[in-house]
Amino acid sequence: MPFNYDYDLPCEFAFLGCHVNIHPAWLEEWIAHSLSHFGTLPPPQESICIFCDDMFRSHGNPISAWRDRMMHIEGHYKNLECGIRPDFFVIEYMGRNNLISAEDLSFFMAYSERPSCGNLVPLSAQNNDMSLRKERKFWTSHDLREERR
C-alpha cells in the first residue's frame, strides 16, 4: 500500500509565474525542476530557507548545497507549515545574472515582513511648534530701557 501524502511540493518560483506542483514521492524531480530556473548557471553560493532562517552555503558545491536546502524546505512542507517568504539571496543572484528583469528585481526586493506603519515621517520633518521653537533659539531680546538713543 503506497504512502498517502497530504501535501504537494510547489515550485518556489511561483513569483515568476511558475505554478508547478510536484508530488512528494518525486522529490528529486522537484529539486531538478527548481534548478531548471537557473538555466545553465549553477544555483547561488548562498541561500536561505523560505520558512525559517537556516542558511545554506555552497563551500564549493552549489548544487549539493541547493539540494540540502530543498530537502530542508521539503521538511517544512511535510509538517504542513505555511508562511513562506522570499529568499533575497536567490532573488539578488537572479537579478545579477539577468534571470529576472531589473523591474522584477526592484519589485521583489521591496518586500518586507515588517508590518505597515502609518504616520511615519522623515527624521528631519518638523511640525509648526518644532519650527517655532527652533526659530526662537535665534531670537535675541533687547531691553529698551538699557538702550541709548
Side-chain angles (χ1 to χ4, degrees):
M1 177 185 226
F3 187 80
N4 183 17
Y5 295 93
D6 291 334
Y7 64 100
D8 281 331
L9 299 170
C11 178
E12 179 178 338
F13 298 93
F15 66 93
L16 296 176
C18 183
H19 300 291
V20 169
N21 284 303
I22 296 179
H23 191 274
W26 297 345
L27 181 61
E28 294 303 323
E29 287 80 2
W30 178 61
I31 295 169
H33 171 79
S34 70
L35 286 167
S36 74
H37 285 281
F38 299 112
T40 58
L41 297 173
Q45 298 284 324
E46 231 177 3
S47 59
I48 193 167
C49 176
I50 58 175
F51 287 94
C52 68
D53 292 332
D54 284 6
M55 290 285 304
F56 299 87
R57 291 182 176 86
S58 73
H59 303 292
N61 190 345
I63 292 177
S64 176
W66 186 260
R67 186 178 188 289
D68 292 345
R69 174 188 182 271
M70 297 305 286
M71 297 292 289
H72 172 87
I73 289 172
E74 187 268 341
H76 287 286
Y77 282 121
K78 188 182 226 175
N79 292 331
L80 304 177
E81 294 177 35
C82 57
I84 64 170
R85 59 189 181 188
D87 180 342
F88 293 112
F89 293 105
V90 171
I91 293 170
E92 286 177 340
Y93 176 82
M94 294 183 90
R96 271 193 319 274
N97 290 288
N98 298 315
L99 297 171
I100 58 175
S101 69
E103 294 82 24
D104 283 345
L105 175 63
S106 179
F107 176 77
F108 298 137
M109 294 303 288
Y111 173 82
S112 175
E113 292 179 332
R114 186 190 74 210
S116 178
C117 301
N119 302 323
L120 291 180
V121 296
L123 186 57
S124 61
Q126 295 182 352
N127 63 25
N128 289 340
D129 289 338
M130 294 167 70
S131 297
L132 187 56
R133 253 186 264 135
K134 186 176 181 180
E135 190 178 311
R136 284 183 186 156
K137 285 183 184 179
F138 298 105
W139 291 356
T140 55
S141 58
H142 299 279
D143 188 350
L144 296 177
R145 293 175 292 186
E146 297 291 323
E147 287 188 13
R148 293 192 180 124
R149 295 194 182 207

